[in-house]
């Protein structure tokens, strides 16, 4: 499954450093991802391939209420010039 969306970068409230920044997969897209049967993974995570700008990487998204949270690696944010509060366009492909 392939999705594209825009989302604002936010910080996990339990941490104050810049190493814990995320974007939220929209609720409707999260519902579509959740409906696909897959092998259970730790914390209910789903493996994904992500592209923001020219940067592509593999990671996992994690359930967060009715949505999924996508962690943004510091190297990705640096390569794409992204900071807390910025809005970015995300292309996400589920791998599982």
């Amino acid at each position: 499954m392939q999705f594209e969306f825009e989302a604002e970068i936010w910080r996990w409230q339990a941490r104050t450093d810049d190493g814990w920044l995320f974007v939220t997969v929209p609720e409707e897209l999260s519902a579509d991802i959740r409906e696909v049967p897959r092998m259970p993974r730790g914390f209910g995570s789903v493996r994904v391939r992500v592209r923001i700008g020219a940067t592509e990487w593999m990671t996992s998204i994690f359930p967060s209420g009715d949505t999924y949270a996508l962690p943004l690696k510091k190297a990705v944010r640096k390569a794409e010039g992204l900071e807390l509060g910025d809005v970015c366009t995300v292309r996400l492909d589920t791998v599982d």
Side-chain angles (χ1 to χ4, degrees):
M1 302 175 74
Q2 184 178 70
F3 305 95
E4 189 167 311
F5 59 93
E6 288 190 346
E8 183 176 343
I9 299 171
W10 55 273
R11 178 179 302 148
W12 184 35
Q13 292 179 356
R15 299 294 293 248
T16 58
D17 61 5
D18 284 341
W20 294 85
L21 299 183
F22 298 81
V23 297
T24 299
V25 178
E27 193 171 326
E28 183 177 318
L29 302 181
S30 293
D32 291 343
I33 293 168
R34 196 173 285 109
E35 287 180 8
V36 175
R38 58 181 49 89
M39 293 296 296
R41 293 180 47 86
F43 304 102
S45 65
V46 176
R47 291 181 356 160
V48 293
R49 179 178 300 110
V50 182
R51 177 179 287 277
I52 296 178
T55 306
E56 187 172 304
W57 75 102
M58 297 286 293
T59 190
S60 294
I61 54 176
F62 299 90
S64 178
D66 292 335
T67 62
Y68 284 94
L70 167 66
L72 296 182
K73 295 179 181 184
K74 188 172 186 176
V76 171
R77 297 189 321 264
K78 184 176 179 180
E80 297 300 325
L82 297 170
E83 297 180 7
L84 179 65
D86 288 349
V87 174
C88 59
T89 300
V90 178
R91 190 184 81 205
L92 183 143
D93 298 295
T94 58
V95 176
D96 297 319

